[in-house]
Amino acid sequence: MLAREIMTQDIEVVTAQDKLQKAARIMRDSDIGFVPVVEGADGQMRLTGVITDRDIAIRHVAEGHGPDCRVEEAMSRKNILTVRPDDNVDNLMQRMAQAQVRRVPVTEDGRLVGVVSQADLALDTDQLDEVGRTVGRISERGPGQRQRQAQS
């Protein structure tokens, strides 16, 4: 099975210049925690990063920033895991588990064409055992997280 066969194609996006509030509203209204950041939202759709609900909480709210912040101030730009539409889903699951990410933008020549999420894997593959193992590996806590939890 290929990424193109399970990816969500009808995706909401923001630009780096959009206000964070727009990204947060998209997340709320679409019940998602991740929005791709693109240049050329009018059709070019070149992926420049991603913004997550966690980015907003950690880099915006926790830092005490005001309501006029732009997406570029909280988005993740580096080390964004992407896949191509013709990538094999088995390899995709391994890469998601290794990087411990729940969602992966699908790009073709730098242009965003879709997103694969844990839900896409669970709903659209016939390998539920492997999907379960992948979700478990994505959700594993690192040594620092175990220590912080033990201190709470």
Side-chain angles (χ1 to χ4, degrees):
M1 182 173 287
L2 304 177
R4 79 172 73 249
E5 297 174 70
I6 66 166
M7 70 183 187
T8 300
Q9 295 179 46
D10 184 23
I11 48 179
E12 297 280 345
V13 299
V14 292
T15 68
Q17 292 73 43
D18 285 331
K19 289 190 177 186
L20 273 176
Q21 186 176 40
K22 179 178 180 180
R25 284 185 177 155
I26 288 170
M27 290 177 197
R28 178 197 65 199
D29 296 346
S30 300
D31 193 26
I32 56 176
F34 166 99
V35 179
V37 182
V38 299
E39 282 182 8
D42 57 350
Q44 186 180 4
M45 301 284 280
R46 191 174 74 76
L47 183 69
T48 59
V50 298
I51 184 85
T52 66
D53 49 2
R54 189 174 198 294
D55 291 331
I56 293 171
I58 302 291
R59 296 186 186 143
H60 177 71
V61 176
E63 297 289 325
H65 293 273
D68 291 329
C69 283
R70 305 260 178 229
V71 167
E72 66 189 343
E73 297 175 51
M75 67 187 261
S76 297
R77 300 174 190 265
K78 297 181 180 181
N79 303 320
I80 306 298
L81 174 63
T82 63
V83 296
R84 295 183 321 259
D86 58 344
D87 282 348
N88 181 286
V89 171
D90 292 333
N91 294 337
L92 167 61
M93 286 192 289
Q94 289 175 357
R95 293 179 65 201
M96 288 175 74
Q98 184 176 30
Q100 291 191 302
V101 296
R102 292 171 167 77
R103 307 157 197 101
V104 178
V106 181
T107 60
E108 195 163 39
D109 299 321
R111 183 177 173 272
L112 180 69
V113 295
V115 171
V116 174
S117 70
Q118 283 180 340
D120 295 322
L121 293 171
L123 295 173
D124 293 323
T125 68
D126 56 0
Q127 304 172 19
L128 289 180
D129 288 341
E130 183 60 32
V131 171
R133 283 191 291 278
T134 299
V135 170
R137 288 176 50 209
I138 289 170
S139 302
E140 286 177 351
R141 295 178 185 265
Q145 291 171 311
R146 286 188 199 106
Q147 183 180 21
R148 282 192 300 273
Q149 185 177 8
Q151 293 173 352
S152 352

